[in-house]
Amino acid sequence: FILPKTEAIKPGRKYLIITNNDRFVRLACEAKKKDYIRLSAINLATDAQGARIYPDTEIKTSDILHAYKVVGSISRDQI
């Protein structure tokens, strides 16, 4: 568990981010705006035109209620 007010969310790491409206499991990245964080989807799937289905999202760091560092995951490849 990371306290957004007192501990830094480190760029390049996976987090579960909880706000009043959304829940994200994404990579944290530096945002262009001050006091914002850019969340990049782990799923890099694209549509027929080549655009990412799950685009990056920028949110205010003050909107983060809870942040949990993801330390492991399980994935399955479909055949």
Side-chain angles (χ1 to χ4, degrees), residues 2-56:
I2 303 291
L3 295 173
K5 305 284 188 250
T6 58
E7 298 179 52
I9 294 176
K10 296 179 179 149
R13 294 195 178 169
K14 290 180 195 174
Y15 291 93
L16 165 62
I17 304 286
I18 300 174
T19 67
N20 277 331
N21 300 318
D22 296 300
R23 278 55 174 162
F24 302 97
V25 175
R26 302 227 172 163
L27 290 169
C29 304
E30 291 185 26
K32 293 178 184 176
K33 300 180 204 171
K34 185 179 178 184
D35 298 325
Y36 276 73
I37 189 163
R38 184 169 50 93
L39 302 175
S40 182
I42 298 163
N43 185 341
L44 300 176
T46 57
D47 61 16
Q49 289 78 32
R52 288 179 59 187
I53 295 171
Y54 306 103
D56 292 354

